[in-house]
Amino acid sequence: MKQNIAFFDFDGTITRRDSLFLFVKFLVGHRKFYWGILIHLHILLGYLMGVLKNSYAKERLSEYFFKGYEGKEFLIECEKFLTILKTTLKDSALERLYWHKQQGDKIVLVSASFEEYLIPLCRELQIDCIGTALEVKNAKLTGRFACANCYGKEKSIRIQNKYDLKDYAKIYAYGDSSGDKEMLALASIENRFYKFFK
């Protein structure tokens, strides 16, 4: 008998707030965070106005905040961030995730957020993780992405590169934004859940 598979977006779907800014504040402190946002305000406004792509704005910010960080130390901080990250999770989303577990389904977190701080959570929940990874050179972060930003069409590409969807009986997908539409389209209409969790 074939197993089912369920894909969950993270920010806004499973969480009550954006995890990236929360992580950056945790990593660099409030003062550097707000200063960084201020000096990159033109980029953020460009993104909000639709002039700049999500991936461009995000990579410029990640370069500012993460460039030069020791890779091993960064991963240690990501592990420490888990306690804070767990406080953002929606009970309704966790209940659904555990329902899938009881069904014996494979569960995959698919997010534009960084794998480095998502993996500790996924490890604890015993689910798979697909996200945006950060580039490391000479043991230090460059601030650039090691892969394409896992957003929009890239979510569908990454999923299909990792899983042969024909091997699964049912495909479920949960999302909350336009960046999830290609992932949602992988599931049949009755198994697509948009803004499902309160």
Side-chain angles (χ1 to χ4, degrees):
M1 187 174 177
K2 287 185 176 181
Q3 186 182 28
N4 299 330
I5 191 166
F7 301 107
F8 285 80
D9 169 54
F10 190 62
D11 291 290
T13 299
I14 291 180
T15 69
R16 292 186 295 273
R17 57 185 299 186
D18 179 86
S19 66
L20 178 56
F21 282 173
L22 188 65
F23 173 70
V24 174
K25 283 181 190 176
F26 164 80
L27 187 72
V28 305
H30 283 67
R31 181 176 293 181
K32 185 173 180 180
F33 170 76
Y34 287 115
W35 178 247
I37 293 299
L38 181 63
I39 63 178
H40 290 87
L41 195 57
H42 61 294
I43 291 176
L44 292 171
L45 289 174
Y47 163 64
L48 292 172
M49 293 170 66
V51 177
L52 299 176
K53 290 184 178 181
N54 171 287
S55 57
Y56 175 82
K58 183 176 168 186
E59 196 164 35
R60 295 292 74 74
L61 285 167
S62 70
E63 279 188 290
Y64 175 79
F65 289 120
F66 304 149
K67 186 176 181 179
Y69 215 104
E70 290 284 347
K72 288 183 179 179
E73 181 62 31
F74 186 80
L75 293 179
I76 290 170
E77 293 303 310
C78 288
E79 292 281 355
K80 292 178 183 177
F81 180 63
L82 176 59
T83 302
I84 296 171
L85 189 59
K86 285 164 64 175
T87 67
T88 71
L89 305 180
K90 297 177 183 177
D91 290 338
S92 56
L94 288 175
E95 286 172 10
R96 186 68 172 183
L97 191 150
Y98 291 135
W99 177 81
H100 279 290
K101 275 185 168 291
Q102 290 170 356
Q103 302 288 113
D105 301 343
K106 178 172 282 294
I107 304 166
V108 188
L109 188 68
V110 187
S111 176
S113 292
F114 294 122
E115 284 186 351
E116 287 80 3
Y117 70 74
L118 293 177
I119 285 174
L121 175 65
C122 290
R123 190 186 302 126
E124 183 169 301
L125 294 173
Q126 296 182 313
I127 64 176
D128 290 359
C129 181
I130 297 176
T132 304
L134 288 162
E135 182 183 65
V136 177
K137 285 189 175 180
N138 301 317
K140 291 186 178 183
L141 272 65
T142 66
R144 295 188 296 272
F145 301 160
C147 59
N149 189 35
C150 192
Y151 179 85
K153 187 178 180 180
E154 185 64 20
K155 286 193 174 187
S156 175
I157 292 170
R158 294 280 299 279
I159 286 169
Q160 293 180 85
N161 283 345
K162 189 169 183 177
Y163 305 99
D164 187 345
L165 298 182
K166 297 191 299 296
D167 291 343
Y168 298 92
K170 292 181 182 179
I171 301 166
Y172 294 83
Y174 301 84
D176 79 312
S177 74
S178 59
D180 300 317
K181 65 181 182 180
E182 289 88 354
M183 180 178 76
L184 290 165
L186 296 174
S188 56
I189 292 173
E190 67 272 17
N191 293 327
R192 296 176 196 166
F193 300 93
Y194 182 71
K195 295 188 176 180
F196 185 67
F197 306 113
K198 304 299 181 186

